[in-house]
Amino acid sequence: MTRTGRRPAALVTAALVTTALLLAACGGGSDPAGGNAADGGGAAAAAQDAGSTGDGGADAVCAAVESVDLSAAFGGTLTFGAPQDVTGTGRGCVAAVEGSEGEGLIATVTTGDYYREKAKYEKQDVPFEWIDGLGEEAFLVNEADLNVLLADDSAVNVAISAFFTSGSPPDPAVLRAGLVTVADAVVAAQ
């Protein structure tokens, strides 16, 4: 079953801009007021606070991200820097997107965030789509933030948080395909 929310024309760009700004300001861990756009599923905070889950090992998330040809996964529309562990525990990874500002591609594995994020986004008037065949269940928010529940109640979050300074963001279908490809690799590593 696939459910989708409304897709206002400028929402993807606005969400990416807002996400980049929110993530840059996220160091204090408090949620900004407004909350109308995706905040990367709390990805920056989750990346910094991610605890060890699963048997993936100390570098599991970045190793999984590195196993994917990121440019090909995103239809050749984006060029990425080398994935970097941002947690010191291997549970959060960021790969910069060339030609953009913001965090870039963010991948995290966390515990306890999935249901809170799901409830938050289901209530908001943002694009929300269920993704079949990934983990126990999965959903995509704002066409740029994929959340996957795993069998042990940990969660994988893969998001693009980038303000494109040159050109325009990739087509939402391309973003979706790339996020699913990266999430599948991270899920398999858990």
Side-chain angles (χ1 to χ4, degrees):
M1 172 170 83
T2 301
R3 295 185 285 185
T4 58
R6 293 187 320 208
R7 294 173 33 163
L11 185 57
V12 172
T13 302
L16 293 173
V17 170
T18 303
T19 300
L21 294 173
L22 292 175
L23 289 173
C26 201
S30 62
D31 286 337
N36 291 336
D39 65 359
Q48 301 219 350
D49 296 334
S52 181
T53 62
D55 298 319
D59 61 353
V61 175
C62 275
V65 172
E66 288 173 346
S67 75
V68 174
D69 179 344
L70 293 175
S71 183
F74 288 89
T77 61
L78 299 175
T79 303
F80 294 87
Q84 302 291 317
D85 179 355
V86 294
T87 64
T89 66
R91 309 312 288 170
C93 188
V94 173
V97 177
E98 291 183 19
S100 72
E101 295 180 14
E103 295 291 323
L105 175 75
I106 302 166
T108 62
V109 176
T110 60
T111 56
D113 290 337
Y114 180 84
Y115 292 106
R116 178 178 49 91
E117 294 301 313
K118 176 181 164 187
K120 177 174 73 174
Y121 289 121
E122 280 182 316
K123 293 176 185 176
Q124 293 182 10
D125 187 23
V126 296
F128 184 100
E129 176 186 357
W130 289 102
I131 305 294
D132 294 326
L134 191 58
E136 296 297 307
E137 69 177 31
F139 64 93
L140 181 68
V141 179
N142 282 330
E143 301 167 331
D145 182 358
L146 179 60
N147 294 272
V148 182
L149 176 66
L150 303 180
D152 66 357
D153 285 336
S154 63
V156 170
N157 174 258
V158 180
I160 290 284
S161 172
F163 172 68
F164 292 87
T165 55
S166 60
S168 59
D171 180 78
V174 171
L175 283 176
R176 179 186 189 275
L179 293 171
V180 167
T181 299
V182 174
D184 191 44
V186 175
V187 167
Q190 300 311 303

